Amino acid sequence: MRLTIKTKLIASFAVILTLTAGSGYMAMQSLQDANEDFHQFVSGPFAQVQTSRAMRESLTDVRRLVNRAYITNDLAERAKYVEAFDTRIAELEAYREQLLSHVDDASREQHASLTADMAEFADTARRALELSNAADSEAPGTVLEATEQVFTAFLADAARLSEGLRNLGEPSADSGQGVHSAAPMRDLVRALSLAETVSTSAMTARISTIDAAARPSPEHTRAQVEHAEQQVAAVEAALAELKAIPLVSRNFMALVPDLNTSWTAALAVLRAQLDSALELREYAALEMLSKGLLPVSERLDGQLAQISNDSDAAAAAKSAETEASYVQMRNKLVAIVLAAIAIGAAAALWMAISISRGLNRSVKAAEAIGRGDLTTELDARGADEIGDLMRAMKAMTENLRRIVGDVISSSGQVAAGSQQSSATAEQLSQGSTEQAAATEEASAAMEQMAANIRQNAENAAQTEKIAGQASLNAEKTGKAVANSVDAMRTIADKIQIVQEIARQTDLLALNAAIEAARAGQHGKGFAVVASEVRKLAERSQLASTEIGELSASTLGISEEAGRMLQDLVPDIQRTAELVGEISAACREQNAGAEQINQAIQQLDEVTQQNAAAANEMSATAEQLSAQAAMLNERAGFFVLSRDAAAATTPAAARSEDELDRQMQTEMAGRASRKPAAAPVKRAAAKVRPAQSGPAAEGGFDLDLGAAGDEGGFERLSA
Amino acid sequence: MQTTTATTLGQDYLTIALDEDIFALPVATVREVLDPPPMTRVPFAPAHVPGLVNVRGNVMPLLDLRTRFGMAAAEDRETTRLIVTHVDRPGDPFLVGLRADAVYEVIDIAQGALRPAPPGSTRWPAALMQGVIQRGDRYVIVLDLAEIVAADAARPQ
């Protein structure tokens, strides 16, 4: 394959530019990838982390709200909490939506549990909130307040009974009555004890009730409620027993129903509180908070934390991946740039070295040629332009060598040839003289011939005149014949008249004969006359018939003669024309003979000029010989080969001998083969004197192709 | 041309021709010989009397001898002539023009030379001829004009 400098340059630049473009494209691609990764990071893991954190906060808020709702008893505050709870739950839903919208399809199933947990959490939290709202955080206080009034009234009643009994037992001055007997005394003590029991049991039942509400635990509450029921049963029993004691019923007729009434009221309140305590609302709320809401929220939180962690992990992975790709891309870019630099430097170095080396060799070769040294053998290598230049230089050297060799040998040939041509010129001069004598003889013969031709022309002209006259006469004769034909026709017509007259005469003579016959003897003489007339008429008719036949035959002959004459006239005219042409040809021939005569005279002149020119040519040939020697000397400037440089002169002499022989054979061949070459030489000799000036200055050229004068020769010989 | 001898006592005849046959008419009946004048055709006339001719003011019937003798009718030729004859019918003389192919001459026939035609010697109807005259090596048939015209009157065709 041919590797030119152009190809090399184009190839190396193309490689470098391609590498640069490739590195730029890759850098741009990498930047674009990084940008996309960043965008994905912002909208993916980062957002998820943010959202899950916010969800976790919201989760905590919800739980706090439920706890606060449980703790407080204020209805307005609770309503506020419910409102806040709804807001939080909506927020959580929104966060969930946001979170799941950033999740790809693969992990969407994984996050299905999150949705379920979310729903469960919302449900549980709402129930916990409702239970918390229903619970009474200050239940003992409430029970205390609720039972305060009725129990105070009942205890007051009981206290009044006890007071009354004590007063009954002490000997009083004012009444004088007292219980001084042993049975009443025992009843009184019994009543007092029962009254004490009523108060104490009532108090205890109340305390148990309060205690049942104070500690929300089913066992404790049930134990306290049972204890309170026992105390109530004790109060009931004591009251029944008390009523059964006559002393009491007798002495305190009004007080016992009061006591019963207040007890009934207190018991109703107490039972309501006990029933309320047995409902265990606080306990349920607490249960829901601790066992329902807490695990769900913790699970959800755990999931959210997991999502957050996953996102963190994904972000970390993404970051690591980006880092890795950055490093890879940087390495690639560095490698490409390094490769481009290396290739560029190598190509530049390679081309610079190859160009400068080749050019140096070419310059050396050119200097050698300038000195005339054609011996240098150039080593043409390489497939590039420098190689082309080297090859061209080599070809030039070889061509120069060949041309100079040719010039040297040609100059030798010219020298030999000029000597040969000198001899030939002398021969030519002699021949020209002989030619001049022959030409004069030809001229004399030609003049004789011209005179004959002129005589011919004159005769022909005369013949032409005669022929024209004959033609005219023939035409006239034709007309005359036609006239005579017409006359013959007239004669024939007239003869018919004569015939008619003869017939009429015959008829008349017949009638006369008839008349004569009818006249009988008297008409005998007339009959003879009539007969004679009739004979005359018959004779004249016969004669006229003969004349008619004769004239008819004459008419036919005359018409035949007229036709023949008409046929003859064109022939005569044609003859006249031909004679005219002959006459014209004779005149032309005469002119041609004159021209030939002139030409022969010119030929004579030219022949004499040729003789002179041949002499001049001889001199010129000698000059040419001298010029050839000079040319040989000039051409010796070039050294063709180191061996031949010393032996130039013998070689030239040898080649001259060979050339002489060659020239002689060539000239002999030309003289025998081509006599027509003489005019060419003459033309060359004619040109010579005009150019002898420039020839003396060291150079001349022979215009062998000049054909200006040869035209004359061709015209004359034609 | 025959020469007429006036020495013999006899009767003069005018010789005429129909085709090659020569006939003779007594000169006494002949008035004139003419070139045939233009004829005026008469409708429903008999074939041998085709029309009338005007000869110098006299109108007369034209009788074609050829047709009369049963020969084929022919056109006029150069020698065709009209012979004006006088028919001397008693009490009713009239002129009639006879058309003949040629008229030759007046001849003088000696008495006794006229002989009756030998029966069967001629193809012509015998009623129309007076006799035959030998003249040289030929016979001349002498026509009976009265018969010719009379026959015409008696047997109109």
Side-chain angles (χ1 to χ4, degrees):
Chain A
M1 191 188 143
R2 181 176 153 83
L3 271 178
T4 58
I5 291 174
K6 190 169 72 180
T7 318
K8 286 177 190 169
L9 275 174
I10 288 171
S12 46
F13 269 101
V15 168
I16 290 165
L17 286 177
T18 311
L19 287 172
T20 311
S23 65
Y25 175 74
M26 283 170 73
M28 230 161 67
Q29 197 73 30
S30 144
L31 271 179
Q32 200 173 341
D33 287 350
N35 192 24
E36 274 175 19
D37 285 349
F38 181 69
H39 275 293
Q40 275 182 4
F41 178 73
V42 166
S43 63
F46 184 70
Q48 280 191 335
V49 167
Q50 291 286 328
T51 312
S52 59
R53 189 168 300 153
M55 273 182 89
R56 289 173 75 182
E57 279 173 9
S58 290
L59 218 57
T60 315
D61 276 358
V62 168
R63 287 176 61 193
R64 197 175 297 142
L65 276 173
V66 174
N67 282 336
R68 275 187 190 162
Y70 174 73
I71 289 163
T72 188
N73 261 1
D74 190 351
L75 286 175
E77 212 172 328
R78 278 180 171 168
K80 211 169 68 186
Y81 290 151
V82 167
E83 197 181 335
F85 174 82
D86 285 341
T87 316
R88 289 294 176 218
I89 290 293
E91 257 179 30
L92 271 172
E93 276 299 314
Y95 282 140
R96 188 183 60 84
E97 291 287 333
Q98 201 179 336
L99 191 65
L100 289 184
S101 73
H102 287 303
V103 170
D104 51 353
D105 289 339
S107 49
R108 199 177 289 278
E109 284 176 21
Q110 184 192 337
H111 292 295
S113 63
L114 178 69
T115 311
D117 286 348
M118 242 333 266
E120 194 186 341
F121 172 74
D123 204 31
T124 315
R126 193 166 293 281
R127 270 194 294 141
L129 183 66
E130 280 166 7
L131 287 172
S132 299
N133 280 345
D136 189 354
S137 59
E138 294 167 357
T142 313
V143 174
L144 193 66
E145 277 173 22
T147 52
E148 182 72 42
Q149 198 181 350
V150 286
F151 269 81
T152 307
F154 176 67
L155 285 179
D157 283 345
R160 266 193 296 148
L161 181 63
S162 298
E163 188 67 36
L165 287 174
R166 229 171 272 127
N167 284 342
L168 202 61
E170 284 182 13
S172 76
D174 53 331
S175 62
Q177 326 166 248
V179 182
H180 297 295
S181 58
M185 239 358 242
R186 202 186 58 224
D187 284 349
L188 184 60
V189 171
R190 181 69 185 153
L192 269 175
S193 166
L194 284 173
E196 268 315 301
T197 306
V198 166
S199 307
T200 312
S201 291
M203 283 297 285
T204 310
R206 191 186 168 198
I207 287 164
S208 288
T209 306
I210 290 165
D211 194 17
R215 284 177 61 193
S217 149
E219 295 80 22
H220 178 75
T221 305
R222 273 186 211 112
Q224 289 303 319
V225 167
E226 206 177 330
H227 189 243
E229 288 288 347
Q230 286 172 1
Q231 293 306 315
V232 167
V235 169
E236 296 267 338
L239 273 179
E241 199 178 337
L242 203 59
K243 271 185 261 180
I245 295 173
L247 179 73
V248 174
S249 52
R250 199 176 50 211
N251 287 323
F252 303 97
M253 274 301 282
L255 196 60
V256 172
D258 282 349
L259 191 65
N260 262 331
T261 308
S262 62
W263 170 244
T264 307
L267 188 62
V269 172
L270 190 71
R271 284 224 181 272
Q273 291 301 322
L274 279 175
D275 288 347
S276 172
L278 274 176
E279 282 177 13
L280 292 170
R281 278 184 307 226
E282 287 79 21
Y283 176 73
L286 272 183
E287 279 288 285
M288 185 54 77
L289 280 177
S290 62
K291 295 188 179 160
L293 189 58
L294 189 63
V296 170
S297 65
E298 274 176 356
R299 204 163 67 224
L300 196 59
D301 194 52
Q303 274 202 9
L304 287 172
Q306 182 63 39
I307 287 173
S308 181
N309 283 345
D310 286 352
S311 298
D312 276 346
K318 192 87 187 169
S319 170
E321 191 185 325
T322 311
E323 179 70 21
S325 79
Y326 159 72
V327 168
Q328 192 186 4
M329 184 54 63
R330 188 195 58 195
N331 290 347
K332 274 185 195 170
L333 284 177
V334 165
I336 287 171
V337 167
L338 284 180
I341 290 169
I343 289 170
L349 199 63
W350 176 40
M351 277 185 281
I353 287 172
S354 70
I355 290 170
S356 90
R357 196 185 293 157
L359 278 179
N360 276 340
R361 282 197 296 168
S362 299
V363 165
K364 272 179 195 158
E367 281 172 352
I369 291 164
R371 284 195 306 271
D373 182 6
L374 297 176
T375 58
T376 342
E377 284 294 338
L378 277 168
D379 183 14
R381 283 174 306 183
D384 53 0
E385 283 89 341
I386 300 297
D388 289 347
L389 179 63
M390 295 292 285
R391 271 189 290 280
M393 295 282 289
K394 184 179 169 129
M396 187 180 85
T397 313
E398 283 166 1
N399 281 340
L400 270 177
R401 208 181 292 157
R402 201 169 58 245
I403 288 163
V404 169
D406 286 354
V407 166
I408 289 169
S409 70
S410 294
S411 63
Q413 286 186 358
V414 168
S418 59
Q419 283 179 354
Q420 194 72 33
S421 68
S422 169
T424 310
E426 265 181 52
Q427 281 182 356
L428 191 66
S429 165
Q430 206 170 348
S432 295
T433 315
E434 287 171 17
Q435 197 179 3
T439 308
E440 274 192 39
E441 280 177 26
S443 175
M446 200 60 221
E447 280 203 33
Q448 189 77 35
M449 198 167 92
N452 289 344
I453 288 169
R454 212 173 295 124
Q455 186 69 42
N456 273 359
E458 279 169 16
N459 290 346
Q462 219 161 351
T463 314
E464 186 188 359
K465 257 182 231 163
I466 292 163
Q469 196 68 42
S471 170
L472 283 177
N473 288 345
E475 264 180 64
K476 278 183 195 166
T477 313
K479 276 178 197 161
V481 168
N483 285 343
S484 75
V485 165
D486 284 347
M488 285 298 175
R489 274 209 194 92
T490 315
I491 289 166
D493 291 346
K494 300 287 188 231
I495 286 296
Q496 276 180 349
I497 295 168
V498 171
Q499 276 179 323
E500 182 61 23
I501 290 167
R503 204 177 61 85
Q504 292 290 340
T505 310
D506 184 49
L507 201 58
L508 283 172
L510 184 62
N511 280 323
I514 291 165
E515 284 297 325
R518 281 173 60 202
Q521 267 316 323
H522 306 291
K524 280 287 181 202
F526 188 68
V528 172
V529 173
S531 170
E532 289 302 315
V533 169
R534 204 168 169 210
K535 277 181 198 160
L536 285 172
E538 277 174 2
R539 277 177 61 195
S540 74
Q541 196 167 9
L542 201 68
S544 68
T545 305
E546 280 176 11
I547 290 168
E549 281 168 8
L550 276 174
S551 65
S553 72
T554 311
L555 182 63
I557 292 162
S558 299
E559 277 174 348
E560 182 68 26
R563 260 199 307 280
M564 285 166 76
L565 263 174
Q566 269 177 347
D567 288 344
L568 198 61
V569 165
D571 289 346
I572 292 169
Q573 278 172 346
R574 175 85 185 126
T575 309
E577 281 170 16
L578 287 174
V579 169
E581 280 177 25
I582 291 168
S583 172
C586 280
R587 276 197 294 279
E588 280 178 21
Q589 212 175 9
N590 190 21
E594 297 260 336
Q595 279 181 354
I596 290 170
N597 209 4
Q598 278 179 6
I600 287 171
Q601 278 169 6
Q602 278 181 3
L603 188 65
D604 185 33
E605 277 176 34
V606 169
T607 308
Q608 282 168 9
Q609 280 175 0
N610 274 0
N615 285 337
E616 281 179 19
M617 193 169 140
S618 174
T620 309
E622 277 171 29
Q623 273 187 354
L624 189 63
S625 179
Q627 290 293 337
M630 203 151 112
L631 183 64
N632 207 353
E633 194 184 315
R634 290 280 182 199
F637 169 73
F638 288 103
V639 182
L640 294 183
S641 70
R642 304 210 183 282
D643 308 336
T648 307
T649 323
R654 196 172 61 241
S655 68
E656 268 180 25
D657 287 348
E658 283 173 11
L659 285 169
D660 271 354
R661 278 199 299 280
Q662 195 178 333
M663 280 296 260
Q664 277 168 358
T665 51
E666 200 174 326
M667 290 297 281
R670 199 183 294 166
S672 62
R673 260 201 326 270
K674 293 197 266 180
V680 180
K681 284 185 178 176
R682 187 195 60 81
K686 202 168 184 180
V687 171
R688 163 54 40 77
Q691 287 184 342
S692 58
E697 288 172 18
F700 55 89
D701 63 354
L702 287 172
D703 187 6
L704 294 173
D709 290 338
E710 289 171 40
F713 276 91
E714 282 176 8
R715 186 176 54 76
L716 288 172
S717 62
Chain B
M1 251 321 107
Q2 264 93 38
T3 53
T4 309
T5 53
T7 53
T8 52
L9 282 175
Q11 203 175 351
D12 290 335
Y13 291 89
L14 181 67
T15 54
I16 61 175
L18 293 175
D19 279 349
E20 299 302 314
D21 296 304
I22 300 170
F23 300 86
L25 276 173
V27 165
T29 63
V30 176
R31 285 290 178 273
E32 198 177 352
V33 177
L34 300 170
D35 283 329
M39 181 187 71
T40 306
R41 288 195 167 272
V42 174
F44 309 114
H48 62 284
V49 191
L52 301 171
V53 289
N54 185 341
V55 179
R56 280 189 264 283
N58 295 319
V59 176
M60 60 193 77
L62 182 141
L63 193 147
D64 189 358
L65 283 177
R66 286 177 69 89
T67 317
R68 188 70 185 87
F69 284 97
M71 297 165 74
E75 286 294 302
D76 286 353
R77 45 186 113 154
E78 200 183 344
T79 55
T80 302
R81 296 286 183 266
L82 185 74
I83 307 153
V84 181
T85 51
H86 181 260
V87 179
D88 194 12
R89 200 152 53 181
D92 184 20
F94 66 94
L95 292 173
V96 65
L98 303 177
R99 183 157 71 182
D101 282 352
V103 176
Y104 292 137
E105 59 188 330
V106 177
I107 54 172
D108 183 21
I109 304 296
Q111 277 189 326
L114 181 66
R115 291 175 297 183
S121 65
T122 175
R123 50 200 166 106
W124 312 118
L128 299 179
M129 25 180 150
Q130 290 180 342
V132 175
I133 304 165
Q134 191 176 5
R135 191 166 174 78
D137 54 347
R138 295 193 63 171
Y139 287 100
V140 176
I141 298 161
V142 178
L143 298 175
D144 185 346
L145 186 63
E147 270 304 312
I148 289 169
V149 175
D152 177 36
R155 291 181 283 134
Q157 296 172 4

